[in-house]
Amino acid sequence: MKQWYLRHKKVLWIVIIAGVPIGYLGLWLDFSLLFWLGVILAFPLFIMILPFCLFLFIAGLTQPLWIQFYKLAAKRHGAPFQPGDFVRILRGAHRNKEVRVYDVWPERYQIRVELGEKEKAEVTDVFSYLSIWKIGRGR
């Protein structure tokens, strides 16, 4: 079955996606057979997209709650940060490095740290508040 799917997946996707306009055409022409054919063809697409749409809807409704949890977690990591603070990087290629903060973007909940000129030029020295941990204040 898997081999059959792999050989025919482009055709399957074309048929599934074509079901949507076929269904709308049947609805517009008031031709129920065409409408139901489109519904049947597009049903797998509906099954795949419905959970994603529900997730976005629920995330939109609960966004004020989640933003407060994010702010609380950022405070536990040492926010608000200021230039001169020393932080430990918690994830990524520079994990466990202790570096100094040189720029803060509070509206984006991100900071820039001193990793080197190459990282500064390529803007790869940017970390979110939850990717770092404040270990001290600069002198």
Side-chain angles (χ1 to χ4, degrees), residues 25-60:
L25 184 65
L27 193 61
W28 186 61
L29 295 175
D30 198 24
F31 186 49
S32 61
L33 183 63
L34 196 59
F35 169 73
W36 286 109
L37 175 66
V39 168
I40 291 168
L41 291 176
F43 190 72
L45 189 65
F46 174 74
I47 293 297
M48 290 182 282
I49 291 181
L50 181 66
F52 180 70
C53 291
L54 286 174
F55 168 76
L56 289 180
F57 178 71
I58 291 170

Side-chain angles (χ1 to χ4, degrees), residues 4 16 27 31 44 48 53 60 66 71 87 95 97 116-117 120:
W4 182 88
I16 289 169
L27 193 61
F31 186 49
M48 290 182 282
C53 291
W66 295 112
K71 287 179 181 178
V87 297
R95 185 174 185 200
K97 265 191 185 173
E117 290 302 316
K120 185 176 185 177

